[in-house]
Amino acid sequence: MREFTWSATEKRAARAAFDLALARELKATRQEAEAILRNSSDDRVIWRLHDYLDEKRVEIDQKYDYRYSVLMSVFPRLVSEGWLKLDELVAIGAEKVDVINKLMSLREY
Amino acid sequence: MREFTWSATEKRAARAAFDLALARELKATRQEAEAILRNSSDDRVIWRLHDYLDEKRVEIDQKYDYRYSVLMSVFPRLVSEGWLKLDELVAIGAEKVDVINKLMSLREY
């Protein structure tokens, strides 16, 4: 992956978009946890809930890596998984958005 | 711990009491999980829920050990923690209930 430059404004925009995606995925995870409990009358469902949260914790810890050296791999994944829209990234710079778009179409992230 | 003899009837009673305690603790764990979610509007509460279920899984796995060689240590703990009442154990044999009662008063379990 080539290196990109980030102005102070672009860094703030990147951080805001990153935090927005994380907040959305945390909300969705919570809603799924609530649904798992709601949809089963068997109390052993707590172990299925535990397994689900185990997996999501590993996945989220691994996915949300805010280092500028990897961010241009993180954003295509967040967009392709639906946690961000491409137009929510415009303030990180047109060239970067263009690259993200291309990486998404190539599924290279 | 001395060895105890278990008749077929006493074994069935022990299994039923053991399963009853486990069912109660699973229900209480589920209710606590639901309360953790209900009582926080911060979606990061899912990680607190995950930590809680982590601990309960280890605790329950370790506590509910149905080997006759250890059952006379398991029952005093289940009674002292409130998952069983002593009179729910009468069918395992009067002598054993007496020992459980003594172990509880000595906190030796």
Side-chain angles (χ1 to χ4, degrees), chain B residues 28 63 108:
Chain B
K63 190 193 302 182
E108 286 203 2

Side-chain angles (χ1 to χ4, degrees), chain A residues 18-80:
Chain A
F18 181 95
D19 289 345
L20 179 63
L22 177 57
R24 285 171 176 162
E25 188 155 7
L26 288 177
K27 180 181 283 296
T29 303
R30 182 214 187 99
Q31 288 171 341
E32 178 63 19
E34 289 167 343
I36 287 170
L37 288 171
R38 192 169 54 242
N39 294 332
S40 177
S41 56
D42 183 342
D43 294 326
R44 288 170 300 180
V45 72
I46 55 173
W47 303 144
R48 193 152 59 78
L49 174 60
H50 180 247
D51 290 340
Y52 170 71
L53 292 174
D54 251 354
E55 282 173 28
K56 288 303 293 189
R57 196 162 202 167
V58 171
E59 180 193 333
I60 287 175
D61 280 353
Q62 179 265 326
K63 191 193 302 182
Y64 287 85
D65 184 349
Y66 193 82
R67 288 174 295 160
Y68 292 107
S69 57
V70 297
L71 212 45
M72 288 296 288
S73 296
V74 174
F75 280 139
R77 181 172 178 188
L78 296 182
V79 175
S80 83

Side-chain angles (χ1 to χ4, degrees), chain B residues 17-58:
Chain B
F18 181 95
D19 289 345
L20 178 64
L22 177 57
R24 284 171 177 161
E25 187 155 10
L26 288 177
K27 181 182 281 297
T29 304
R30 182 214 187 99
Q31 287 170 341
E32 178 61 19
E34 288 168 343
I36 287 170
L37 288 171
R38 193 169 53 243
N39 294 334
S40 176
S41 57
D42 183 342
D43 294 326
R44 287 171 300 181
V45 73
I46 54 174
W47 303 144
R48 192 153 59 78
L49 173 60
H50 180 246
D51 291 340
Y52 169 71
L53 292 175
D54 251 354
E55 283 172 27
K56 288 303 293 189
R57 196 164 200 162
V58 171

Side-chain angles (χ1 to χ4, degrees), chain B:
Chain B
M1 168 84 55
R2 54 179 269 216
E3 289 204 7
F4 294 86
T5 55
W6 299 81
S7 70
T9 309
E10 287 170 354
K11 284 182 176 178
R12 272 196 301 278
R15 184 80 232 185
F18 181 95
D19 289 345
L20 178 64
L22 177 57
R24 284 171 177 161
E25 187 155 10
L26 288 177
K27 181 182 281 297
T29 304
R30 182 214 187 99
Q31 287 170 341
E32 178 61 19
E34 288 168 343
I36 287 170
L37 288 171
R38 193 169 53 243
N39 294 334
S40 176
S41 57
D42 183 342
D43 294 326
R44 287 171 300 181
V45 73
I46 54 174
W47 303 144
R48 192 153 59 78
L49 173 60
H50 180 246
D51 291 340
Y52 169 71
L53 292 175
D54 251 354
E55 283 172 27
K56 288 303 293 189
R57 196 164 200 162
V58 171
E59 180 192 334
I60 287 174
D61 280 353
Q62 179 265 325
K63 190 193 302 182
Y64 287 85
D65 185 348
Y66 193 82
R67 287 175 294 159
Y68 293 106
S69 58
V70 296
L71 211 45
M72 288 296 288
S73 295
V74 174
F75 280 140
R77 181 171 178 190
L78 296 182
V79 175
S80 83
E81 291 183 359
W83 305 117
L84 276 181
K85 290 180 186 144
L86 207 55
D87 63 16
E88 289 170 323
L89 286 167
V90 288
I92 70 168
E95 188 206 13
K96 295 192 200 72
V97 173
D98 195 43
V99 171
I100 289 170
N101 208 3
K102 287 193 178 118
L103 289 170
M104 284 180 58
S105 66
L106 296 167
R107 296 190 152 272
E108 286 203 2
Y109 48 84

